[in-house]
Amino acid sequence: MKYYIIAGEASGDLHGSNLIREIKQRDPAANIRCWGGDLMSAAGGMLVKHYAELAFMGFIEVIANLRTIFRNIDFCKEDITKFQPDAIIFIDYPGFNLRIAKWAKEKNYTTIYYISPQVWAWKENRVKAIKRDIDKMLVILPFELEFYKKWNYPVEYVGHPLVEVIENFIKTHDNIHAQDNIIALLPGSRKQEILKKLPVMLSLSSEFPEYEFVVAKAPGQPDDFYTPLLAPFPNVSSVRNDTYSLLMKSRGALVTSGTATLETALFGVPEVVCYKGSSISYQIAKRLIKVKYISLVNLIMDRLIVKELIQDDLNISNLRTELKRVLEDGPERNRIKKDYAELKAILQEGGNASAHAAQSICLFMQSVSASSIV
């Protein structure tokens, strides 16, 4: 089978790489062409476009880069047409992927979505396009089953892929031990979000001299991007392509919203969630986004597990207060750890997500192939 996989962010590259490995286990002859990153390439996908060229954050930033986005869409359609895949697999990244899915369905390609767009958070009407354009939807969050059920759209829950990723990492790195003096800073993967949030995080380093602040650099951003940001803080260090080792060592973390909040929780590190965008983008998002929380940890548990500092609330004073709370031994830190254990148990119910997804995709493609012969 020939598969064309499209992921547009670092998390999509991670999950896409594990999906590629699992597909190749079941179909060693699989020919996979992809948009993603270094991990998907290393797993055996032929990389067409790196996600570092694709990631734009916020409404204003997207508008400013519309010409580039439309060029990428046109190029993607041309590349798919040349490759003629048996199936196109979309991994999250809805702004781009749903446009390609509409075109792909019109061209009679088989379409599969792995990791649903967050239509439950905003622009719920997109479900209509998903029902029209996606032949099979695989979801990774338990509450998404009920969400799609109310739209009369059958989806399959495969579990969350981060559970086995992190469990495997911990098992193979049992020589790494937690330290009492390290605070991890995970400011995101996109330039715009890093520039907004990292300076606020860094400004706190002088107020906690007994701790070592360590920045996890995004794989898609070069070292010289971070150099001017880190230069005023000689007591702050950084790591590249080693975020999981950093989290295993850390006592606490300051984390941007997104997949990183869940990764931090699955490593059992008490965290403060940080979000700050451009003023206009934030005001637009505030009016459109329907969910109670911005972190996956709180969304999955449907209650406040970790503190979220959003926009104007993300300031030095608030960040200092909340970081102290998660670092100090006591009821708050113990509660967070207990809630993390409950979260992990919920996500483990789906089993090995990557293997489950690959098996489901391969069986689905067999049925599609059989029906086309008949």
Side-chain angles (χ1 to χ4, degrees):
M1 290 279 181
K2 294 169 70 176
Y3 297 95
Y4 199 99
I5 304 179
I6 306 174
E9 298 172 306
S11 61
D13 181 36
L14 171 63
H15 302 320
S17 68
N18 289 323
L19 182 66
I20 289 171
R21 288 190 186 91
E22 293 289 347
I23 288 175
K24 283 186 169 288
Q25 279 191 19
R26 290 156 180 78
D27 179 8
N31 184 359
I32 299 174
R33 195 167 173 84
C34 61
W35 292 44
D38 300 339
L39 296 177
M40 290 173 74
S41 177
M46 175 60 69
L47 189 64
V48 178
K49 184 82 75 169
H50 199 285
Y51 66 78
E53 302 177 51
L54 308 173
F56 302 108
M57 173 196 171
F59 298 95
I60 301 305
E61 293 80 4
V62 167
I63 290 170
N65 289 280
L66 275 177
R67 183 174 296 179
T68 299
I69 292 168
F70 285 130
R71 273 202 304 264
N72 285 333
I73 288 172
D74 289 340
F75 172 72
C76 186
K77 290 175 182 177
E78 292 171 9
D79 199 54
I80 290 171
T81 302
K82 290 176 184 175
F83 186 58
Q84 287 296 299
D86 296 294
I88 304 172
I89 301 173
F90 304 99
I91 300 179
D92 200 2
Y93 196 49
F96 187 91
N97 275 337
L98 288 177
R99 285 180 171 85
I100 298 296
K102 181 178 185 295
W103 168 85
K105 200 65 207 158
E106 290 169 354
K107 299 295 182 183
N108 295 316
Y109 289 104
T110 298
T111 55
I112 300 167
Y113 224 118
Y114 173 51
I115 305 180
S116 168
Q118 295 179 355
V119 288
W120 34 266
W122 73 298
K123 291 178 73 173
E124 189 171 326
N125 249 12
R126 290 180 293 176
V127 177
K128 295 176 183 176
I130 288 172
K131 290 178 69 174
R132 181 193 66 215
D133 300 330
I134 302 301
D135 296 313
K136 186 170 185 65
M137 171 66 78
L138 305 173
V139 302
I140 64 170
L141 299 172
F143 63 79
E144 290 176 324
L145 277 172
E146 286 301 312
F147 170 80
Y148 279 110
K149 193 174 182 181
K150 76 176 185 180
W151 281 90
N152 195 31
Y153 181 55
V155 302
E156 185 177 353
Y157 173 59
V158 296
H160 204 292
L162 277 179
V163 175
E164 73 261 19
V165 167
I166 290 172
E167 280 194 338
N168 289 338
F169 186 90
I170 291 172
K171 286 176 186 174
T172 56
H173 295 76
D174 57 1
N175 60 320
I176 299 175
H177 302 290
Q179 300 176 26
D180 271 343
N181 68 329
I182 292 181
I183 297 172
L185 305 185
L186 279 61
S189 60
R190 300 161 175 162
K191 282 187 178 180
Q192 298 96 325
E193 64 183 351
I194 296 168
L195 289 171
K196 282 285 183 183
K197 284 168 262 192
L198 184 54
V200 184
M201 296 176 176
L202 290 170
S203 64
L204 218 60
S205 62
S206 62
E207 305 207 25
F208 291 81
E210 69 274 32
Y211 289 95
E212 180 186 354
F213 283 62
V214 184
V215 178
K217 293 180 176 178
Q221 303 300 339
D223 286 333
D224 59 10
F225 167 69
Y226 290 93
T227 301
L229 294 169
L230 299 178
F233 305 95
N235 58 331
V236 176
S237 59
S238 63
V239 297
R240 176 174 292 285
N241 298 323
D242 206 18
T243 302
Y244 282 5
S245 294
L246 171 61
L247 286 173
M248 282 188 72
K249 297 174 185 176
S250 298
R251 180 170 178 83
L254 304 179
V255 188
T256 196
S257 58
T259 304
T261 64
L262 186 56
E263 291 174 310
T264 304
L266 290 173
F267 274 103
V269 182
E271 66 187 296
V272 182
V273 177
C274 307
Y275 174 83
K276 199 179 196 71
S278 70
S279 298
I280 297 174
S281 291
Y282 173 70
Q283 290 302 323
I284 295 171
K286 190 177 177 181
R287 286 159 176 76
L288 294 177
I289 295 175
K290 301 175 183 178
V291 292
K292 291 187 288 185
Y293 307 109
I294 63 168
S295 72
L296 282 174
V297 175
N298 294 337
L299 283 167
I300 294 167
M301 298 297 285
D302 196 28
R303 65 179 192 268
L304 192 68
I305 305 300
V306 293
K307 182 68 175 181
E308 299 179 349
L309 296 178
I310 305 171
Q311 204 63 9
D312 291 340
D313 287 337
L314 179 57
N315 56 55
I316 296 173
S317 176
N318 288 341
L319 200 54
R320 179 196 308 117
T321 299
E322 297 303 330
L323 182 57
K324 277 184 180 178
R325 290 179 67 202
V326 301
L327 291 176
E328 292 173 355
D329 287 320
E332 178 68 5
R333 185 174 174 86
N334 293 338
R335 178 199 60 76
I336 292 173
K337 293 269 193 176
K338 184 179 177 182
D339 287 338
Y340 279 175
E342 184 182 345
L343 168 71
K344 184 176 180 180
I346 290 171
L347 294 178
Q348 282 178 319
E349 291 173 5
N352 185 318
S354 302
H356 190 163
Q359 181 71 6
S360 181
I361 288 168
C362 290
L363 289 174
F364 180 69
M365 291 310 299
Q366 288 173 18
S367 69
V368 169
S369 181
S371 63
S372 65
I373 293 172
V374 173

